[in-house]
Protein backbone atom coordinates (compact mmCIF):
# COMPACT_ATOMS: atom_id res chain seq x y z
CA UNK A 1 0.00 0.00 0.00
CA UNK A 2 1.25 3.48 -0.79
CA UNK A 3 2.52 5.42 2.17
CA UNK A 4 -0.01 7.77 3.67
CA UNK A 5 0.67 11.31 2.64
CA UNK A 6 1.70 13.57 5.47
CA UNK A 7 -0.48 16.66 6.00
CA UNK A 8 1.09 19.79 4.64
CA UNK A 9 1.83 22.27 7.39
CA UNK A 10 1.55 25.89 6.40
CA UNK A 11 4.07 27.94 8.28
CA UNK A 12 2.31 30.72 10.11
CA UNK A 13 4.09 34.04 9.97
CA UNK A 14 3.34 36.95 12.19
CA UNK A 15 2.42 40.19 10.52
CA UNK A 16 4.62 42.30 12.76
CA UNK A 17 3.60 45.59 11.16
CA UNK A 18 -0.10 45.00 11.81
CA UNK A 19 0.52 43.66 15.29
CA UNK A 20 2.66 46.62 16.28
CA UNK A 21 0.09 49.03 14.83
CA UNK A 22 -2.69 47.33 16.78
CA UNK A 23 -0.66 47.59 19.99
CA UNK A 24 -0.04 51.29 19.39
CA UNK A 25 -3.75 51.95 18.83
CA UNK A 26 -4.63 50.01 21.95
CA UNK A 27 -1.89 51.80 23.86
CA UNK A 28 -3.12 55.24 22.90
CA UNK A 29 -6.62 54.31 24.09
CA UNK A 30 -5.42 52.91 27.41
CA UNK A 31 -2.94 55.70 28.17
CA UNK A 32 -5.42 58.39 27.16
CA UNK A 33 -8.15 56.86 29.33
CA UNK A 34 -6.13 55.95 32.43
CA UNK A 35 -2.95 58.00 32.26
CA UNK A 36 0.52 56.52 32.39
CA UNK A 37 0.34 55.29 35.97
CA UNK A 38 -3.13 53.79 35.65
CA UNK A 39 -2.60 52.08 32.30
CA UNK A 40 -2.05 48.32 32.35
CA UNK A 41 -0.01 46.33 29.85
CA UNK A 42 -2.42 43.38 30.19
CA UNK A 43 -5.31 45.62 29.14
CA UNK A 44 -3.37 46.97 26.16
CA UNK A 45 -2.44 43.49 24.97
CA UNK A 46 -6.04 42.29 25.34
CA UNK A 47 -7.42 45.29 23.47
CA UNK A 48 -4.89 44.78 20.67
CA UNK A 49 -5.65 41.05 20.50
CA UNK A 50 -1.95 40.39 20.95
CA UNK A 51 0.10 38.16 23.17
CA UNK A 52 1.66 40.14 26.02
CA UNK A 53 5.01 38.55 25.24
CA UNK A 54 4.82 40.02 21.74
CA UNK A 55 4.13 43.43 23.23
CA UNK A 56 7.28 43.19 25.32
CA UNK A 57 9.19 41.81 22.34
CA UNK A 58 8.29 44.77 20.15
CA UNK A 59 8.36 47.57 22.71
CA UNK A 60 10.46 46.36 25.63
CA UNK A 61 8.41 47.66 28.55
CA UNK A 62 5.54 49.93 29.51
CA UNK A 63 7.69 53.06 29.45
CA UNK A 64 9.00 52.38 25.94
CA UNK A 65 5.51 51.56 24.71
CA UNK A 66 4.27 54.87 26.08
CA UNK A 67 7.08 56.71 24.30
CA UNK A 68 6.21 54.90 21.08
CA UNK A 69 2.54 55.85 21.45
CA UNK A 70 3.46 59.47 22.09
CA UNK A 71 5.82 59.62 19.12
CA UNK A 72 3.25 57.95 16.86
CA UNK A 73 0.64 60.52 17.90
CA UNK A 74 2.89 63.42 16.93
CA UNK A 75 3.96 61.72 13.70
CA UNK A 76 0.32 61.24 12.72
CA UNK A 77 -0.59 64.92 12.97
CA UNK A 78 2.64 65.97 11.25
CA UNK A 79 1.89 63.57 8.36
CA UNK A 80 -1.54 65.13 8.02
CA UNK A 81 -0.07 68.61 7.90
CA UNK A 82 2.42 67.63 5.21
CA UNK A 83 -0.38 66.05 3.18
CA UNK A 84 -2.11 69.44 3.02
CA UNK A 85 0.55 70.59 0.50
CA UNK A 86 0.00 74.17 1.60
CA UNK A 87 2.62 75.61 -0.74
CA UNK A 88 0.18 75.25 -3.63
CA UNK A 89 -2.26 77.72 -2.05
CA UNK A 90 -2.16 81.44 -1.47
CA UNK A 91 -1.16 82.49 2.07
CA UNK A 92 -4.69 83.22 3.27
CA UNK A 93 -6.13 79.93 2.01
CA UNK A 94 -3.09 78.03 3.25
CA UNK A 95 -3.54 79.39 6.76
CA UNK A 96 -7.28 78.73 6.59
CA UNK A 97 -6.61 75.10 5.69
CA UNK A 98 -4.01 74.67 8.44
CA UNK A 99 -6.36 76.01 11.12
CA UNK A 100 -9.22 73.81 9.93
CA UNK A 101 -7.02 70.72 9.75
CA UNK A 102 -5.69 71.27 13.28
CA UNK A 103 -9.18 71.83 14.68
CA UNK A 104 -10.59 68.77 12.92
CA UNK A 105 -7.68 66.57 13.96
CA UNK A 106 -8.37 67.24 17.63
CA UNK A 107 -12.09 66.78 17.04
CA UNK A 108 -11.68 63.47 15.21
CA UNK A 109 -9.12 62.16 17.70
CA UNK A 110 -10.29 63.09 21.20
CA UNK A 111 -7.76 60.63 22.60
CA UNK A 112 -4.98 62.96 21.42
CA UNK A 113 -5.77 65.88 23.79
CA UNK A 114 -6.19 63.37 26.62
CA UNK A 115 -2.83 61.79 25.81
CA UNK A 116 -1.18 65.22 25.78
CA UNK A 117 -2.83 66.01 29.11
CA UNK A 118 -1.30 62.82 30.48
CA UNK A 119 2.17 63.87 29.36
CA UNK A 120 1.69 67.33 30.83
CA UNK A 121 0.70 65.75 34.14
CA UNK A 122 3.99 63.86 33.91
CA UNK A 123 5.72 67.23 33.36
CA UNK A 124 6.79 66.03 29.90
CA UNK A 125 9.28 63.65 31.51
CA UNK A 126 9.00 61.11 28.70
CA UNK A 127 8.97 63.71 25.94
CA UNK A 128 12.23 65.12 27.31
CA UNK A 129 13.93 61.79 26.61
CA UNK A 130 12.78 61.61 22.97
CA UNK A 131 15.56 63.25 20.98
CA UNK A 132 13.76 63.21 17.63
CA UNK A 133 10.76 65.27 18.77
CA UNK A 134 12.25 68.66 17.95
CA UNK A 135 13.37 67.47 14.53
CA UNK A 136 9.84 66.22 13.91
CA UNK A 137 8.40 69.67 14.62
CA UNK A 138 10.99 71.75 12.78
CA UNK A 139 9.35 71.26 9.33
CA UNK A 140 6.05 72.51 10.77
CA UNK A 141 7.67 75.72 12.01
CA UNK A 142 9.35 76.10 8.63
CA UNK A 143 6.07 75.57 6.82
CA UNK A 144 4.30 78.22 8.89
CA UNK A 145 7.22 80.61 8.44
CA UNK A 146 6.98 80.21 4.67
CA UNK A 147 3.24 80.95 4.70
CA UNK A 148 3.78 84.03 6.87
CA UNK A 149 6.59 85.29 4.61
CA UNK A 150 4.48 84.82 1.50
CA UNK A 151 1.61 86.62 3.17
CA UNK A 152 3.84 89.49 4.22
CA UNK A 153 5.31 89.76 0.73
CA UNK A 154 1.78 89.93 -0.67
CA UNK A 155 0.97 92.59 1.95
CA UNK A 156 -1.90 90.55 3.40
CA UNK A 157 -0.11 89.47 6.61
CA UNK A 158 1.94 91.46 9.09
CA UNK A 159 5.63 90.67 9.40
CA UNK A 160 6.04 90.58 13.20
CA UNK A 161 4.48 87.16 13.84
CA UNK A 162 6.35 84.44 15.72
CA UNK A 163 5.48 81.15 13.95
CA UNK A 164 5.79 79.10 17.15
CA UNK A 165 3.50 81.41 19.11
CA UNK A 166 1.06 81.39 16.20
CA UNK A 167 0.92 77.59 16.10
CA UNK A 168 0.38 77.43 19.85
CA UNK A 169 -2.64 79.71 19.38
CA UNK A 170 -3.95 77.63 16.47
CA UNK A 171 -3.61 74.41 18.47
CA UNK A 172 -5.18 75.97 21.56
CA UNK A 173 -8.32 76.96 19.65
CA UNK A 174 -9.03 73.30 18.90
CA UNK A 175 -7.44 71.64 21.91
CA UNK A 176 -9.37 73.60 24.54
CA UNK A 177 -12.70 73.13 22.78
CA UNK A 178 -12.30 69.36 22.46
CA UNK A 179 -10.71 68.67 25.84
CA UNK A 180 -13.31 70.76 27.69
CA UNK A 181 -16.35 69.93 25.56
CA UNK A 182 -18.16 67.99 28.30
CA UNK A 183 -17.75 70.58 31.06
CA UNK A 184 -18.42 73.58 28.81
CA UNK A 185 -21.58 71.92 27.49
CA UNK A 186 -22.90 71.67 31.06
CA UNK A 187 -21.78 75.14 32.12
CA UNK A 188 -23.36 76.92 29.16
CA UNK A 189 -26.27 74.49 28.67
CA UNK A 190 -25.31 73.91 25.04
CA UNK A 191 -24.35 70.71 23.28
CA UNK A 192 -20.94 71.70 21.97
CA UNK A 193 -20.69 68.40 20.11
CA UNK A 194 -23.65 69.35 17.89
CA UNK A 195 -22.64 69.86 14.27
CA UNK A 196 -23.81 73.47 14.14
CA UNK A 197 -21.79 74.36 17.24
CA UNK A 198 -18.71 72.61 15.91
CA UNK A 199 -18.97 74.37 12.55
CA UNK A 200 -19.44 77.73 14.25
CA UNK A 201 -16.41 77.14 16.44
CA UNK A 202 -14.24 76.11 13.48
CA UNK A 203 -15.25 79.17 11.48
CA UNK A 204 -14.53 81.42 14.46
CA UNK A 205 -11.10 79.83 14.94
CA UNK A 206 -10.21 80.54 11.31
CA UNK A 207 -11.50 84.10 11.53
CA UNK A 208 -9.62 84.83 14.74
CA UNK A 209 -6.31 83.65 13.29
CA UNK A 210 -6.74 85.50 9.99
CA UNK A 211 -7.86 88.69 11.74
CA UNK A 212 -4.79 88.53 13.96
CA UNK A 213 -2.48 88.08 11.00
CA UNK A 214 -4.05 90.96 9.12
CA UNK A 215 -4.02 93.34 12.07
CA UNK A 216 -1.08 95.69 12.45
CA UNK A 217 -0.02 96.88 15.86
CA UNK A 218 -0.46 100.54 16.59
Amino acid sequence: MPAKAKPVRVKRTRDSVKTKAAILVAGRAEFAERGFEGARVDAIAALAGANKRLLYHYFGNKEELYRAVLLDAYQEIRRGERALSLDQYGPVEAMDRLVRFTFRHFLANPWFPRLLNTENIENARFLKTMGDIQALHSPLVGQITTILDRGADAKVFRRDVDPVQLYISIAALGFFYVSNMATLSVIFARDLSAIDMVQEREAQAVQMVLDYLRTRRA
Side-chain angles (χ1 to χ4, degrees):
M1 293 181 65
K4 186 176 181 181
K6 294 183 179 180
V8 177
R9 293 185 178 181
V10 178
K11 186 178 180 181
R12 299 180 65 184
T13 59
R14 296 192 186 102
D15 188 334
S16 60
V17 174
K18 288 185 178 180
T19 301
K20 290 170 72 173
I23 293 172
L24 285 174
V25 171
R28 65 170 54 165
E30 178 73 1
F31 288 123
E33 179 68 23
R34 304 185 185 281
F36 175 75
E37 297 298 337
R40 295 290 177 264
V41 171
D42 285 341
I44 295 172
L47 186 59
N51 188 300
K52 189 167 70 170
R53 287 178 297 179
L54 272 183
L55 185 151
Y56 285 123
H57 172 71
Y58 291 134
F59 296 100
N61 54 44
K62 178 180 174 181
E63 290 79 6
E64 290 304 317
L65 173 58
Y66 176 76
R67 287 188 182 90
V69 167
L70 197 59
L71 178 61
D72 183 64
Y74 279 115
Q75 288 175 330
E76 183 176 290
I77 190 171
R78 298 291 88 88
R79 283 195 299 270
E81 290 158 351
R82 290 195 300 272
L84 294 174
S85 301
L86 296 178
D87 289 344
Q88 66 180 305
Y89 303 104
V92 173
E93 185 174 358
M95 191 57 64
D96 180 303
R97 287 173 177 268
L98 178 61
V99 175
R100 291 183 191 278
F101 167 80
T102 306
F103 181 86
R104 292 174 185 180
H105 186 81
F106 285 124
L107 191 68
N109 302 283
W111 59 267
F112 188 36
R114 292 198 297 270
L115 183 65
L116 298 185
N117 281 334
T118 290
E119 183 59 10
N120 277 294
I121 290 173
E122 296 290 333
N123 197 30
R125 69 184 177 102
F126 291 98
L127 202 61
K128 292 172 184 175
T129 67
M130 297 162 58
D132 45 359
I133 282 295
Q134 290 185 349
L136 181 64
H137 287 71
S138 293
L140 170 64
V141 177
Q143 185 179 48
I144 294 175
T145 300
T146 298
I147 296 172
L148 292 175
D149 287 345
R150 290 197 290 120
D153 290 343
K155 301 187 184 305
V156 293
F157 290 164
R158 49 198 271 189
R159 286 195 180 274
D160 60 342
V161 178
D162 182 329
V164 173
Q165 290 283 14
L166 176 62
Y167 182 74
I168 291 172
S169 296
I170 291 172
L173 289 169
F175 185 100
F176 185 85
Y177 188 85
V178 173
S179 63
N180 293 275
M181 185 179 288
T183 54
L184 292 174
S185 293
V186 173
I187 290 170
F188 295 112
R190 295 186 182 184
D191 180 8
L192 297 189
S193 67
I195 186 64
D196 58 330
M197 294 295 295
V198 170
Q199 290 175 335
E200 182 181 351
R201 181 59 187 172
E202 181 183 279
Q204 187 171 114
V206 171
Q207 194 62 51
M208 290 176 71
V209 171
L210 292 180
D211 283 350
Y212 167 73
L213 293 175
R214 289 170 175 149
T215 302
R216 297 185 180 277
R217 293 176 180 172

